[in-house]
Structure formats: C-alpha cells, structure tokens
Amino acid sequence: MKSIAVLPTICCSPQTEPLTVPERDELAARFKALADPTRVAIINSLSAADEVCVCNLTETFELSQPTISHHLKVLREAGLVESSRRGTWAYYRLVPDAIAALRGALGP
Amino acid sequence: MKSIAVLPTICCSPQTEPLTVPERDELAARFKALADPTRVAIINSLSAADEVCVCNLTETFELSQPTISHHLKVLREAGLVESSRRGTWAYYRLVPDAIAALRGALGP
DNA sequence: ATTATATATTGACGGTTGTCGATGAAGTCA
DNA sequence: TGACTTCATCGACAACCGTCAATATATAAT
C-alpha cells in the first residue's frame, strides 16, 4: 500500500500529465472508497481521534454491525484506514499519507 | 452549484468537525463522480487544455459515443465540469473551484 | 467448559451503474 | 428540402453495491 504515496495528479497542476490505464484504475478505486455517505462519515469520525473502536461506530450509525464492518473493509482495502485488535475490540485509524496522496491527485 | 465552494472538511484538519447528514451525502455524491476510471481520465484530459471537444473524447476512449455522453453528464451534474455548444460541437471544461473544493475536503 | 461479547464473513435481495444499440434533436452544407 | 454530422436521450441488460439476518471466529470472564 506504499504506492499510494506516488498517486499521479489528475488535474489542475502545471505538471499534470496523461494517466496510464493502471493509474486511472487505481485512482478511481480509491475515490470509490469515498463514494458512499457512510464511509465519508466514518473517515470524518476517525479524523476526530487517534483511533476509534468499532463498537463506537456501530453505536453512532443506525446501520447493522455487518454493514459497518463491510464499509470498514472497503476503506481498509483502499488503504485509507488501518486497524489493530486489542482484546475483543478492533480499533481503526486513518492512514494520513493515503488521504494526503488522494488529495494531491486533485491538484497541487 | 455555488455551494461547492463551502464543502466541509472530511478530515485531517485541526478544524475538522462532525458532518451533518446532508454534508456527507453531498460529499459522497461528488466523490462518486470520480469513482470510475473513464471519468478520472476525462477529468485528466480536460486538465490539459482550456476546453476539449466531445469529438476528441470519443476518439480517445474506446467506448461508444453514448457512454462518453453518459459520463460527461455524471460529471456535469456533479458540478465538476461544464459545457458550451458552438455550432455542432460541444466543448467541455473543468470547473476548477469545484475540484479545489473537493480537494479541500480531504484536508487543509 | 460454558457463556457472553465484539467483530468478521457469508448468502441473499433489491437498487444502482456502466455499457451498448437505436433513436432523437439540432446544426451544417449542398 | 434533404442528406449528413455531432451530441444527447432512451431502453435494455449484465454486473456491481449497500444492506440485513444468520453464522462463524476469537477473546474474555466466570
């Protein structure tokens, strides 16, 4: 997931260059992770603390626990968040570099 | 479409605050417009010039003309691009503020 | 061991999306 | 007018997505 640091720029930069097919696929996949209101809200929640317990998220959102788990998996596989288990609980946190890279894709 | 200028920040900023439901819906809808490889590539293409004729896009991508037209509509309704007709041709261009606003949602 | 709790996975269902061919709308040029 | 070009819209279809209930996995506590 290190490759997130070198995401190309889509636009709006002097050095914007044509994307290769793998590059545009990769970028679209990462944007797709943010293309759902619940996942946007989860990112927003994680941003408010170093890490957040899944149990807090299932309380916050009026969605079933499997649905929250599903959205966390999508964000995890996109490299935007990471998790660690401590005891029975799972804690999620942002991967700031990944989000900064995605941000960088939208301009300088 | 002016409201794009005041998109809230998702994360990674000191002043990141909880999103309202309309805000997260709005943000997700805009990210969804970028959640497709072809649309990412279109944005990338538009970034290389002041405006681009649809006829150039249908040549560039190996997709049917209706499919390109569909993607342009999605981007237009998301406020990321705008178009004008001159004669038989339609020219599309980026809405830089909209993309900058989306970029701003990912951090300061 | 058993029981309880937290999270992940599976399977299924309805709604959405990307794609195309066919058609329509609007302009251009003989 | 009529033939031609460019782009948008419509209708259809397969694939994908968000959601839930049920189940599985793993840890903790008694």
Side-chain angles (χ1 to χ4, degrees), chain A residues 10 19 24, chain B residues 36-46 57 61:
Chain A
I10 291 183
L19 297 174
R24 61 185 223 192
Chain B
D36 177 90
T38 300
R39 293 198 290 270
V40 167
I42 289 176
I43 294 290
N44 181 242
S45 292
L46 296 186
L57 296 174
F61 301 99

Side-chain angles (χ1 to χ4, degrees), chain A residues 1 3 11 19 28 32 45-46 68 81 88:
Chain A
M1 218 55 64
S3 65
C11 79
L19 297 174
K32 192 177 297 187
S45 292
L46 296 187
I68 297 295
V81 308
T88 310

Side-chain angles (χ1 to χ4, degrees), chain B residues 12-69:
Chain B
C12 307
S13 158
Q15 65 270 28
T16 301
E17 294 184 8
L19 298 175
T20 66
V21 169
E23 284 172 344
R24 61 185 223 192
D25 289 352
E26 172 77 9
L27 280 162
R30 303 216 184 247
F31 281 122
K32 192 178 296 188
L34 294 176
D36 177 90
T38 300
R39 293 198 290 270
V40 167
I42 289 176
I43 294 290
N44 181 242
S45 292
L46 296 186
S47 160
D50 280 356
E51 48 183 19
V52 174
C53 178
V54 173
C55 58
N56 289 334
L57 296 174
T58 54
E59 287 169 2
T60 302
F61 301 99
E62 295 181 346
L63 289 169
S64 72
Q65 175 267 319
T67 297
I68 297 296
S69 200

Side-chain angles (χ1 to χ4, degrees), chain A residues 5-6 15-16 21 25 29 38-40 43 48 52 56 60 62 68-69 78 85 90 93 98-100:
Chain A
V6 292
Q15 65 269 29
T16 301
V21 170
D25 289 352
T38 301
R39 293 197 291 269
V40 166
I43 294 290
V52 174
N56 289 333
T60 301
E62 293 181 346
I68 297 295
S69 199
R85 268 201 172 242
R93 53 191 169 280
I99 293 172

